Amino acid sequence: MNKKIIVSISLLLYLLNNCAGPLSVITQRELKSHVRYLASDGLQGRFPGTDGGRKAAEYIRNQFESSGLTLLGDAGFQHFDVITDAVLGYDNTLTIDTYSYTAGIDFIPLSFSQNTTLIAPVIFVGFGFNFQNDSLSWNDYSDIDVTGKWVLILRGSPDGNNPHGDYAEHSSLRKKVTIAKDHSAAGVIFISGLSFDDSDNLIPLEHNQGQAMVTIPVIHVARGIVEILLKESGNNLISYENNVIQKMEKFKAIGSKKIVSASTDVKYKMVQTQNIVGLLPGIDKQLQNEYVVIGAHYDHLGFGGKNSGSRRPDNYEIHNGADDNASGVSVMMELAEMFSHHHSNARTMVFIGFGAEEMGLLGSKYFVKSGLIKKDNIQIMLNMDMVGRFDKKVKKISIGGTHTAVNLESEIEPIISKTNLQYSFSPEGYGPSDHSSFYVSDVPVLFFFTGAHSDYHTPDDDTEKINYKGMEAISQLIFSIANHLSTMDEKLVFQEAGSKKQEERQRFKVTLGIMPDYTYSATSGLRIDAVLKDRPASDAGLEDGDIIIEMNGGSVDDIYEYMNRLSDFRPGDEVTVKVLRGKNEKTVTVKF
């Protein structure tokens, strides 16, 4: 049968179903049932590699099976390993002359250190800076050769451990190691000055999500060891540090004749987790080798804690993640059932529950690289992440990635305009969720999101706060969009829409203490989704729903202008903030 006839019949059936009333298999009851299970205390936050994470994966696979999907990979599972922690190995040594030091007491390797042995002289290069901008410049490597040597570097900056200081953006350990590598150093030894940490605690050996191992050894040593290295040159760390802080300029590098021998051995704790992948074949023989991918991540933060991504890292509590992202997974599973019920898709549909998204999009990256399906044959990837807090009054959905294919926005806008939903489009393809893994591989994407809120990445993101009626409406919308993109004759043509990498975050010296509404675009201004307690905004009397329109007399037309304004302020500043509250303007004074 002719391809267009098949597509027309499937579309006709779909339209007849919609016109005849709710033949849909998506209901609030089913969505609520999914969310309540996935975000239950029994799953303990769905952390990768845990029993709760496995139960969530099995639940998704069972839903795929009951919907009649073909399970890909290992009976629907696509297994991969992730790092959850870093610990000291057995081969960590440090020797200067004939004296040996103890790992964990006198020194410690950093979690991103290369595991190797280095025997080399050492040269002290101060703070290890090398930068130049309009207002400040500093180069601790000028006129010295550190090739093949250890470089000894002070942590922090001349203004101490100040995260809002002029040197903050140049003070990260990783950045200093990168600069040392650029100057051909063979290894890095970090030391804490008195102004940075008078207690001289060693850096905890902890694995940070998304970090990669560097190619040289990196250790942190106690101050007493450094005094031994500097003593022969007639210098000491305290006098050096005081000179630099008082003059606020680089000091002459100090070489040592002593040879430092160190071996570094960091072991990583690995766990196995998985993606869940199901397939529904397309009904058009000419289009069924192309794919529409519909995905959502099912993992969350477990019990939280340090380096977990929790916004309350000191609270060891279950983070149920009802909105993030039991909501998106529930919609994805219901879409799989709905497509299987209607079977109107000309192209093949692939449904994926991604693992380890919170650890750095690891599951989606693994899937794209795995070749389980040919990425060049993917028509589009649709991602749902946090679609459970649909505002009952505004009824707005944010859709990102609308410029990642030629004419993509014009393809979907007529579908959305037929609903009673308000919407905002964002053209960029890169963002903090799994669609980014596809966008960087030249696959068009759409990202569905109902907005940030103060419960994000806290133990308070629970099931009773989910808007299930809103989830039902969003599910119907995504089905209509996905069905159209599946049945259209043409294959979408990818186009770049913004950067393909995470832009470095703008550093702020102050924080207002709000959760911005990223979906707001009704008028100019920045709408406040939530005001955080005991922060400058709440102290000044700002409220949820206020729309910031000016800061210190400067306009705030959108979130980007808001960030530019905020970057100009410093601790202690008093700033007038004008907001629109309802139909009235109100001006408050915020003290940072």
Side-chain angles (χ1 to χ4, degrees), residues 342-355:
H342 288 279
H343 211 181
S344 58
N345 52 296
R347 290 175 172 84
T348 294
M349 313 295 294
V350 179
F351 298 90
I352 311 173
F354 294 113

Side-chain angles (χ1 to χ4, degrees), residues 428-443:
E428 293 85 3
Y430 199 94
S433 191
D434 288 308
H435 58 285
S436 296
S437 301
F438 291 80
Y439 172 65
V440 299
S441 295
D442 295 347
V443 175

Side-chain angles (χ1 to χ4, degrees), residues 330-345:
S330 300
V331 170
M332 184 268 294
M333 291 187 295
E334 286 299 290
L335 289 171
E337 183 179 351
M338 191 172 185
F339 271 104
S340 181
H341 178 82
H342 288 279
H343 211 181
S344 58
N345 52 296

Side-chain angles (χ1 to χ4, degrees), residues 311 452-456 508 510-518 525-549 551 556 558-559 562-563 566 577-579 581 588 590 592:
R311 293 176 52 240
H453 47 80
S454 59
D455 296 330
Y456 168 73
F508 301 104
V510 296
T511 177
L512 188 57
I514 64 169
M515 296 287 288
D517 180 357
Y518 294 97
L526 173 75
R527 183 179 180 275
I528 299 174
D529 237 0
V531 175
L532 305 181
K533 293 181 181 179
D534 302 321
R535 307 294 285 277
S538 64
D539 293 343
L542 293 178
E543 299 177 359
D544 297 357
D546 283 350
I547 300 168
I548 301 174
I549 54 177
M551 298 182 78
V556 176
D558 52 33
I559 190 168
Y562 163 75
M563 290 190 292
L566 193 64
V577 177
K578 182 183 289 187
V579 300
R581 182 175 296 170
V588 301
V590 174
F592 291 111

Side-chain angles (χ1 to χ4, degrees), residues 14-222:
Y14 168 63
L15 291 172
L16 286 173
N17 288 337
N18 275 351
C19 292
L23 187 62
S24 164
V25 295
I26 298 180
T27 66
Q28 294 179 50
R29 180 182 61 82
E30 289 182 309
L31 289 166
K32 182 181 290 188
S33 176
H34 294 322
V35 173
R36 283 183 170 178
Y37 177 75
L38 292 168
S40 64
D41 285 351
L43 267 61
Q44 298 186 330
R46 308 186 303 276
F47 192 78
T50 63
D51 186 57
R54 285 186 290 272
K55 286 179 178 178
E58 289 167 359
Y59 181 86
I60 296 166
R61 179 174 64 180
N62 291 342
Q63 294 298 317
F64 284 178
E65 279 190 300
S66 65
S67 296
L69 301 188
T70 300
L71 299 178
L72 302 185
D74 180 10
F77 286 164
Q78 187 184 39
H79 296 287
F80 59 97
D81 294 329
V82 296
I83 298 171
T84 60
D85 198 7
V87 295
L88 282 175
Y90 293 109
D91 188 21
N92 286 286
T93 62
L94 174 63
T95 302
I96 302 175
D97 290 337
T98 59
Y99 195 83
S100 296
Y101 298 90
T102 304
I105 298 176
D106 304 310
F107 77 99
I108 196 164
L110 271 64
S111 59
F112 55 82
S113 171
Q114 180 65 240
N115 290 336
T116 187
T117 297
L118 175 63
I119 303 172
V122 61
I123 186 166
F124 183 31
V125 295
F127 288 100
F129 290 150
N130 185 7
F131 64 85
Q132 183 171 0
N133 54 45
D134 293 338
S135 59
L136 196 64
S137 64
W138 194 302
N139 184 359
D140 284 314
Y141 291 88
S142 60
D143 303 323
I144 60 171
D145 182 11
V146 298
T147 302
K149 298 181 176 68
W150 289 99
V151 288
L152 180 63
I153 299 176
L154 278 164
R155 296 170 67 194
S157 71
D159 52 10
N161 189 19
N162 180 5
H164 306 299
D166 292 334
Y167 302 88
E169 63 181 304
H170 308 288
S171 297
S172 78
L173 300 176
R174 290 295 294 251
K175 190 162 190 174
K176 291 184 176 186
V177 171
T178 299
I179 292 171
K181 285 173 56 186
D182 289 344
H183 288 83
S184 301
V188 173
I189 301 171
F190 281 110
I191 182 69
S192 299
L194 281 170
S195 64
F196 185 92
D197 179 13
D198 58 3
S199 60
D200 198 26
N201 292 319
L202 294 178
I203 299 171
L205 183 58
E206 299 172 336
H207 175 69
N208 294 313
Q209 297 171 8
Q211 75 175 15
M213 185 183 294
V214 297
T215 58
I216 60 175
V218 183
I219 63 176
H220 177 215
V221 303

